[in-house]
Amino acid sequence: MLYIVGLGLGDERDITVRGLDTVRSCSKIYMEAYTSLLSLGLDPAALANLEKLYGKEITVADREMVEDRVDQVLSKAADTDVAFLVVGDPFGATTHTDLVVRAKKMGVEVKVIHNASVMNAIGVCGLQLYRYGETISIPFFTDEWRPDSFYEKIQNNRKLGLHTLCLLDIRVKEPTWESLARFKDHFLPAYGRDTLCIGVARLGSDDQKIVAGPMEKLLDVDFGPPLHCLIIVGETHPLEEEMLEFYMIK
Amino acid sequence: MLYIVGLGLGDERDITVRGLDTVRSCSKIYMEAYTSLLSLGLDPAALANLEKLYGKEITVADREMVEDRVDQVLSKAADTDVAFLVVGDPFGATTHTDLVVRAKKMGVEVKVIHNASVMNAIGVCGLQLYRYGETISIPFFTDEWRPDSFYEKIQNNRKLGLHTLCLLDIRVKEPTWESLARFKDHFLPAYGRDTLCIGVARLGSDDQKIVAGPMEKLLDVDFGPPLHCLIIVGETHPLEEEMLEFYMIK
């Protein structure tokens, strides 16, 4: 059996009781390093804390292993109980859907143990989850490569009055106002300097930071280390507004 | 301090280790009955299992208590540590945003302990979470009251090729094909009998049921007891299609 176990968003204590019992009962434990690197990840202290709680050794599976040598993991899971640990919820990343597909094709049984991920924990900001449109990822900007494929999606959400969750690539060089503004040349404006946004850092951790305010003003806020995401706020209900007040930049 | 603790989707073992430690350290524990009723809820056996794991007594807070007599809960939380348990993640329902707002206004500190909810666990179907549009709720249909406010939202999602998560009210009398089809009179068609859908029951429980197929064919599937939700599938990527194959009705 292959157990894909979500670890949640904070530290080792955010695993569920079901997840912990499962991990302790497995004979081999892998931890996915690629997306994990993005949060608690490969910090040796964090890994040691996990191993201590589980009473088990963890094999860190780098991206190459997950994507190319996954058959090793799966053939082990055909004979014995294997846990594959994933930060957040198992289906936050495409990689893990692929893992399930490959397991099922090999006839390996899969059980998923869910946990919190950015996709639901972002509700802590006070905006209702069902009022979000399509989620977008903003990749790393370089001088040569400034992708804009996400822009149309924001625009579609804005037209419908929906909130937009923007996941920021960890290596992102924060786009400057100028780089965002240049879209004005070939797109109709979907947001402006004054558009209400919420910046979120380290969601679900003890030191998470949430600040709401006009987009331009958030540029001056030091959010500290990643993970970061940004919400472009759509039409709001009074209860959402009350909640946002607590996070509003002064 | 008021701790709002998500219990996740299955049974008592889906609380996180952090959540369990917190509940055990609190002097008073409330459990929100209104949304909880929708899943593990007020089944006395389920409640007894929670109390056994926590080693604490739980006060079930009905909707009236949560919405009208919440000041009692909050004034207790001003003096001592109080846990408020919520099935899924704390911000799945508007009620809990309101609780946080009221707590903050009274100067009561709030800490949230996240967990899985339908909004992210639905990823288990294989459709990528960032490809969902606005989530809709389909309320209880009666002979006199057949709301259609959700229809336009489905249509907007469909136009953009996005998936639509439809949360079905627990008291829902399943809409018949005829009642859904009648929208043809005054709306442009957004879906038809053949539109690919996924029916999901008891997501995150051991006996969850996931069946994909044309909308019309799903009407003949016995999904068993609630909670139920339906996904109207938008444009799909090859990996999503591979995953859906495993759930496809034969």
Side-chain angles (χ1 to χ4, degrees), chain B residues 1-3 27-28 30 70-83 102-110:
Chain B
M1 174 84 82
L2 175 68
Y3 291 95
S27 55
K28 182 80 188 169
Y30 294 94
V70 70
D71 289 353
Q72 282 176 28
V73 178
L74 293 178
S75 61
K76 219 177 271 297
D79 300 330
T80 178
D81 285 346
V82 169
R102 290 165 82 157
K104 292 200 175 192
K105 282 186 178 168
M106 283 177 67
V108 174
E109 259 196 285
V110 178

Side-chain angles (χ1 to χ4, degrees), chain B residues 35-52:
Chain B
T35 52
S36 307
L37 186 67
L38 302 179
S39 41
L40 59 105
L42 291 188
D43 175 2
L47 197 64
N49 287 340
L50 290 173
E51 290 184 328
K52 196 174 156 199

Side-chain angles (χ1 to χ4, degrees), chain A residues 5-216:
Chain A
V5 182
L7 299 184
L9 293 170
D11 60 27
E12 71 280 1
R13 291 170 61 232
D14 289 291
I15 194 171
T16 65
V17 172
R18 180 189 303 277
L20 183 58
D21 291 349
T22 300
V23 171
R24 285 180 172 164
S25 75
C26 282
S27 54
K28 182 81 189 169
I29 301 161
Y30 294 94
M31 175 153 175
E32 202 264 359
Y34 180 68
T35 51
S36 307
L37 185 67
L38 302 179
S39 42
L40 59 106
L42 291 188
D43 176 1
L47 197 64
N49 287 341
L50 290 173
E51 290 185 327
K52 196 174 156 199
L53 180 65
Y54 305 158
K56 297 260 179 178
E57 200 182 314
I58 299 171
T59 303
V60 174
D62 59 17
R63 191 180 200 177
E64 186 208 356
M65 182 165 183
V66 176
E67 297 191 347
D68 298 334
R69 289 187 294 139
V70 69
D71 289 353
Q72 283 176 27
V73 178
L74 293 178
S75 58
K76 220 178 272 294
D79 300 330
T80 178
D81 285 346
V82 169
F84 191 85
L85 311 181
V86 176
V87 170
D89 185 68
F91 295 101
T94 319
T95 321
H96 310 130
T97 307
D98 187 53
L99 185 63
V100 173
V101 167
R102 290 165 82 158
K104 294 201 174 191
K105 283 186 177 166
M106 282 178 67
V108 174
E109 259 196 285
V110 178
K111 271 206 175 170
V112 172
I113 297 175
H114 290 289
N115 210 319
S117 67
V118 60
M119 302 300 282
N120 69 344
I122 198 68
V124 77
C125 294
L127 300 176
Q128 297 305 308
L129 290 177
Y130 57 84
R131 294 282 305 150
Y132 281 80
E134 186 170 4
T135 299
I136 66 163
S137 292
I138 303 192
F140 186 61
F141 275 35
T142 66
D143 288 340
E144 296 75 37
W145 192 61
R146 291 163 171 271
D148 57 18
S149 57
F150 58 83
Y151 189 85
E152 194 180 341
K153 294 175 184 175
I154 297 177
Q155 196 171 45
N156 288 332
N157 289 342
R158 301 278 302 162
K159 275 185 203 159
L160 298 171
L162 301 174
H163 313 309
T164 305
L165 173 61
C166 311
L167 305 173
L168 305 186
D169 192 310
I170 191 174
R171 296 173 307 157
V172 80
K173 191 170 127 192
E174 306 293 339
T176 59
W177 176 258
E178 285 63 34
S179 71
L180 287 170
R182 81 187 180 90
F183 293 123
K184 280 193 293 190
D185 297 343
H186 52 294
F187 286 115
L188 289 170
Y191 50 77
R193 292 165 186 266
D194 297 331
T195 303
L196 183 60
C197 290
I198 310 171
V200 181
R202 300 172 304 286
L203 178 66
S205 304
D206 274 343
D207 69 338
Q208 74 179 12
K209 182 161 187 164
I210 302 176
V211 184
M215 186 182 280
E216 190 176 33

Side-chain angles (χ1 to χ4, degrees), chain A residues 11 13-18 94 97 105 115 117 120 128 130-131 134-135 156 160 162 239 242 246, chain B residues 11 13-18 94 97 105 115 117 120 128 130-131 134-135 156 160 162 239 242:
Chain A
D11 60 27
R13 291 170 61 232
D14 289 291
I15 194 171
T16 65
V17 172
R18 180 189 303 277
T94 319
T97 307
K105 283 186 177 166
N115 210 319
S117 67
N120 69 344
Q128 297 305 308
Y130 57 84
R131 294 282 305 150
E134 186 170 4
T135 299
N156 288 332
L160 298 171
L162 301 174
L239 182 60
E242 277 194 291
F246 297 113
Chain B
D11 60 27
R13 292 170 61 231
D14 290 291
I15 194 170
T16 64
V17 171
R18 180 188 303 276
T94 319
T97 307
K105 282 186 178 168
N115 210 319
S117 66
N120 69 343
Q128 298 305 307
Y130 57 84
R131 293 283 304 150
E134 185 170 4
T135 299
N156 288 332
L160 298 171
L162 301 175
L239 182 60
E242 276 195 291

Side-chain angles (χ1 to χ4, degrees), chain A residues 227-242:
Chain A
L227 288 180
H228 295 157
C229 63
L230 179 79
I231 302 159
I232 302 174
V233 179
E235 289 164 17
T236 48
H237 295 211
L239 182 60
E240 292 179 317
E241 288 157 19
E242 277 194 291

